[in-house]
Every structure is written in C-alpha cells, then in structure tokens.
Amino acid sequence: MDTLRRIPFVLLLVLFTLPGCHRSAPVGGSSTANSQKSFPVRGKILATDPTHVLLDHEAVPGFMDAMTMSYKLKDPSVVNELHPGDRITATILVDQDAAGFRNPQLDHIVIIGQAKPDYLPRVQYHVPQAGDDVPNFELLNQSDRLIHLSQFKGRVLLATFIYTRCQLADFCPRMSTNFAEIDKALAADPALYAKTHLLSISFDPAYDTPTVLKKYGEAYTGRFAKETFSHWDFAAPPAEKLPAMTQFFDVGVTPGDSKSLTHSLSTVLIGKDGKVVAWYPTNDWKPADVVAAVRAAAAS
C-alpha cells in the first residue's frame, strides 16, 4: 500500500471505506495483550469471492515473502469493485500476540491497474525509470517562495511525497523520519552535504500551506525556530499542477473520510543532471542504503 503502472486516479484509483492514512484501530496495542500491525502490499488479484481475494503479491518485509495467498477483506462491500487481473496496493492488517501473526485482513485498497477493458484509462501513470528526465515542476515551499526542480541541477536531489495530516505511522511519518536520518547522515560529511538536497513534496496543497509546512519541517529536522531549510525543503505544487506531478512520480492519491487521503508511496533519487537515478515505491528502504546511493550519485 511495489514497479507497476498506475491508472489515473480520477477514473481508477478506487477508495474504499477506510482511507490509507487513517487507522481503524491503534497500532501498538489496546487494553488486551494483542496488538495490531500494518504492512503495505502490492500485487495482482487472481480471484475473488464475497469476502476474500486471492492475491499474488510481492514480498512484504517483516511479514512474509512473495507468495499467493487468500486474504479476508476488512470491508467485504468493496469486492464488487475488484476483478481478477487488477493490480492493487493495500494494507495488510494483522493481529499479533505471543503465538505470532493471525487474522490477516486487507484494508485501504487502491486499484493501480484496472484489468477490465471497460475501464480504459485516458492517461497512464508514469513509473520512474533510471535515466528519465524529470520535468521542471514548480512548487511553493515552506518559506512561501516558488521553487523549481531545475534549480537543484548540479546537486543530487532526494525527494519524497507526504502530507502533514497523515496518521499512518508506516507511511508519511516514516518517510519524514527516514529523511531526518538521512539529513543528519549527510550533514556529517560537509563536502557531500553541499552536493545534495532533500525535498518533501505534499500532495495536499489546500491544507499544507507554507505555514503548515514550515512547522512540520521544523519538527522533523529538530531545529524548530532555528531551522533555515537550506538543505531540506518542504513544498507543495499548485493545486492545478498537482496531477501532472503525481502522475509522473506514480503517486496515487484519493480523498478519504475525515479529510484524510488514501495514497501510495514514492521516493526518488535525482542525479545532478536532473535525471532519475533510483526510485523507491515502498516504505521498506533503509536510510543507510539510500545515503550510499546518494553518495554514489554525488561522486559520479
């Protein structure tokens, strides 16, 4: 909830009852000895019945290897929207106790590739590939200044997509925490720090104004009022330009309830020449591995 082509969210990103950045039960425990864990998953639906889907999915780090498995739907009413051959992202919700994991369910399902021919897309989401030229997208940053991706040419740019109200710990908060770790690691090498830049891009420009992004960014850098944002920008594209940016970086976003958003993940490493070096479409990447990739890109 990982390289697959995404069908445009206007037509095919199907939001089901519970949004992607909204917990239906607290992760980390309740008044019982059990706790609930969540894991993002990507895969292809092979079959459905009234309450389950048979999913051929990629490896789910921390939960299981790639395999074909039947999952119970947390909300069975969505099954009519699912078809064999559909490619989806979702969240596996699983209870954990002393005996291990049990009662896996699929929630927060987003269709990223529709199999039925009567849902032909008008546009195709782009899956970033190494060597792709990155368009010169425009954004408004935390300092209320317009920035463009082209201004980072000559430096290695690491960008990720978030929104500040996201409450699902494995998604936006995890990306921002990872970026904070990367920022500190790069700062330990002043020469490398000068050759790099970080960018957190919000896909919620209506709420994530410069003021909101500034406070959010200050909290994650840990410098608060002392933060200058010289190495890490927090920014959002204008609303009318958001679809082009999310489509290029393969980010599916669909409104949910309580002003939440269901979304996929996308982190991209852009070289000094403005071309894609690497793309990370899940949350299982390690900051140390990305720092190594940044270092290699800066040395090239």
Side-chain angles (χ1 to χ4, degrees), residues 238-260:
E240 68 274 12
K241 298 182 179 181
L242 177 64
M245 194 168 196
T246 54
Q247 288 166 20
F248 181 83
F249 289 109
D250 198 34
V251 183
V253 184
T254 305
D257 60 3
S258 302
K259 300 181 180 178
S260 62

Side-chain angles (χ1 to χ4, degrees), residues 43-48 53-57 68-69 83-86:
K44 182 170 72 173
I45 294 174
L46 300 182
T48 66
V53 296
L54 182 64
L55 186 66
D56 177 12
H57 64 74
T68 298
M69 180 171 171
H83 308 94
D86 287 353

